[in-house]
Amino acid sequence: MPSTPGTKRGDTAPRACANTDLALFFPAEDSPSYTKPNEQEHVAQAVCARCPLAAKTICLENALRLPAQDQWGVVGGATAAQRRTIIRGREAARMIGAAA
């Protein structure tokens, strides 16, 4: 199991969340709203905001490899609802590109 949200073994970038309880990033209930994260998601996003850009990007891209329906918690500074929106946008862009 990864030691911090969105990481894979072998990632070496420093992480703001390294000494933070993972339960903060994975609340019992995700906010369904893209624009209105719940209080716990806000706190987790604040931890992610302190992370170096490279580390946050690694976490987010690793999380975006999962299907939209498997998104949960805050990873790479984005809530599950925000990541689902990103994934759907990327899928739509691929479909448009394939049709062109």
Side-chain angles (χ1 to χ4, degrees), residues 9-71:
R9 288 189 176 100
D11 288 342
T12 58
R15 308 234 186 284
C17 59
N19 296 315
T20 305
D21 182 354
L22 290 180
L24 172 66
F25 299 94
F26 300 100
E29 187 174 316
D30 284 322
S31 169
S33 171
Y34 177 86
T35 57
K36 295 184 181 181
N38 66 35
E39 185 61 31
Q40 186 172 347
E41 290 170 327
H42 272 296
V43 174
Q45 285 179 314
V47 172
C48 290
R50 296 191 318 256
C51 208
L53 180 61
K56 186 166 38 175
T57 301
I58 290 168
C59 289
L60 181 58
E61 288 302 322
N62 286 341
L64 292 173
R65 289 186 179 114
L66 296 172
Q69 67 271 15
D70 292 340
Q71 296 296 323

Side-chain angles (χ1 to χ4, degrees), residues 63-71 83-99:
L64 292 173
R65 289 186 179 114
L66 296 172
Q69 67 271 15
D70 292 340
Q71 296 296 323
R83 291 193 313 277
R84 283 190 291 271
T85 299
I86 293 167
I87 290 167
R88 289 183 184 118
R90 287 180 176 184
E91 289 170 351
R94 274 194 293 274
M95 291 174 65
I96 291 170

